[in-house]
Amino acid sequence: MTTTAFVFPGQGSQRVGMGRELVTRWPHLLDAYYRPADELLGLPLSELCWEGPADTLADTAVTQPAILLTSVATLDVLLRNGVRPTLVAGHSLGEYAALVAADVLDWRDALRLVRLRGRLMAAVNERVPGRMAAVMGLDLRTVEGLCAAVRELSGQVVEVANDNEFAQTVVSGQAEAVDELITAARAAGATRALALKVGAPFHSSLMAPVEQEFTEALLRTEFRDPAVPVISAVTAAPVTSAAEVVDTLRRQLTGRVRWTESVTRLAGEGTDHILEVGPGKVLSGLCRRIAPDVPAHTTHDGDHVARALELLAEAEGPVGSVTTV
């Protein structure tokens, strides 16, 4: 039996037009997900996904539910065509879609939570302006050392936010400290070090003021024990109970995304294929660099969804044709 890991993208994977081809090919998605999502949030989320404008779609409070919605719709197509995950993981925001795939969380509850999560994260930036930056060409330990040095000299917050792959690290913190880190990284030999276009200093201690309010929302939400293994990027280890899921989602706001370790764990579980489920194609590239022996595929548009269905059907053996309902 082929072992397939589903991985779900986070913020930064959004693009105007995402999901539109899915609805054209699989029309049931309109009434199953897109119209209910618009009604649930009181927001023209479908239109923003398909038509933009890009600056509105890039608003953190819109981006997060938009990516989740597209990921869940893509997941539906895969499941209806007999492609099911053996284990799942998600990068930051993507962990919510992974929990939907593992039957831990209803997709509507996930949508409500990420809408609130996006609003709270954006609000932090209004109080303490911050930013994030990507550093490429340096290992994690070197970047951690640079962060420590900048904190000591500046007295400001700058921390590792994402350990994306062996030579790509994202830092987060106060704007001035992040700028100093960029300069320090370039001096240390980074091949690239640049600020990212994101709405707040995600996955840093600066997010602590909103942790309590978000935790209260988590505690009001129904979670179930995972039906398939979920590798949490907060711990790079499986979460086995609903209570543990709530704890990792709470910690995720201020905690590091341990993606290199998470993908290494996926590969170590005997995974034959990794499928990035949703609008992006960044994660599949990261997975190929972390675990080059495990083929990684994307579903970022209708053609790639159909191609993934055919490829995985071939790997499993004859399972019937691709459906459009």
Side-chain angles (χ1 to χ4, degrees):
M1 179 180 175
T2 300
T3 301
T4 303
F6 284 9
V7 298
F8 295 85
Q11 194 156 337
S13 295
Q14 72 275 3
R15 61 178 175 83
V16 174
M18 63 183 184
R20 184 165 47 195
E21 289 182 28
L22 294 178
V23 172
T24 300
R25 292 192 184 212
W26 295 281
H28 75 278
L29 296 173
L30 187 61
D31 287 328
Y33 295 99
Y34 285 91
R35 284 177 177 152
D38 291 350
E39 294 175 7
L40 183 67
L41 298 185
L43 180 74
L45 193 59
S46 302
E47 181 180 342
L48 291 170
C49 286
W50 302 335
E51 305 294 340
D55 57 346
T56 303
L57 188 60
D59 180 341
T60 297
V62 173
T63 303
Q64 296 201 16
I67 290 174
L68 177 91
L69 176 61
T70 308
S71 297
V72 168
T74 307
L75 172 68
D76 179 279
V77 173
L78 296 171
L79 296 178
R80 283 174 180 257
N81 283 279
V83 177
R84 299 185 179 278
T86 314
L87 64 170
V88 298
H91 190 286
S92 186
L93 162 69
E95 200 153 304
Y96 289 82
L99 294 171
V100 173
D103 197 33
V104 174
L105 191 57
D106 181 83
W107 76 269
R108 297 170 186 82
D109 289 333
L111 194 70
R112 291 187 191 96
L113 285 172
V114 300
R115 172 67 164 165
L116 174 62
R117 182 180 185 268
R119 283 174 165 170
L120 293 174
M121 285 180 154
V124 168
N125 209 51
E126 295 175 6
R127 295 194 293 268
V128 183
R131 66 178 58 180
M132 302 178 76
V135 178
M136 285 158 273
L138 299 178
D139 61 36
L140 175 61
R141 183 171 297 182
T142 299
V143 177
E144 287 176 329
L146 293 173
C147 286
V150 170
R151 284 196 301 271
E152 184 174 352
L153 288 172
S154 68
Q156 292 193 342
V157 173
V158 60
E159 301 161 354
V160 170
N162 303 348
D163 171 18
N164 279 342
E165 53 109 332
F166 299 113
Q168 185 187 124
T169 306
V170 174
V171 300
S172 181
Q174 291 168 271
E176 184 178 335
V178 172
D179 288 343
E180 291 181 19
L181 188 283
I182 290 172
T183 300
R186 290 171 178 166
T191 54
R192 292 186 75 191
L194 67 161
L196 299 177
K197 294 181 179 180
V198 296
F202 306 140
H203 300 292
S204 75
S205 56
L206 296 176
M207 289 286 147
V210 300
E211 189 175 274
Q212 182 59 41
E213 182 175 350
F214 191 66
T215 298
E216 291 171 1
L218 291 173
L219 294 174
R220 292 192 299 269
T221 303
E222 179 185 356
F223 289 85
R224 298 175 289 272
D225 294 344
V228 299
V230 179
I231 305 299
S232 171
V234 176
T235 61
V239 288
T240 59
S241 69
E244 193 175 0
V245 167
V246 171
D247 183 59
T248 55
L249 293 180
R250 174 188 63 78
R251 292 166 56 194
Q252 190 196 71
L253 287 176
T254 58
R256 177 183 305 185
V257 177
R258 298 166 63 180
W259 192 245
T260 304
E261 295 173 75
S262 297
V263 174
T264 300
R265 181 65 181 258
L266 291 176
E269 296 291 328
T271 299
D272 297 307
H273 294 272
I274 294 174
L275 189 61
E276 181 175 4
V277 181
K281 50 186 177 178
V282 171
L283 285 192
S284 51
L286 295 177
C287 291
R288 292 185 195 107
R289 291 193 286 277
I290 297 166
D293 294 333
V294 182
H297 318 282
T298 68
T299 59
H300 65 276
D301 59 27
D303 287 341
H304 282 83
V305 172
R307 193 176 306 166
L309 288 171
E310 292 172 1
L311 185 151
L312 293 173
E314 290 174 4
E316 287 284 2
V319 294
S321 59
V322 173
T323 181
T324 58
V325 297

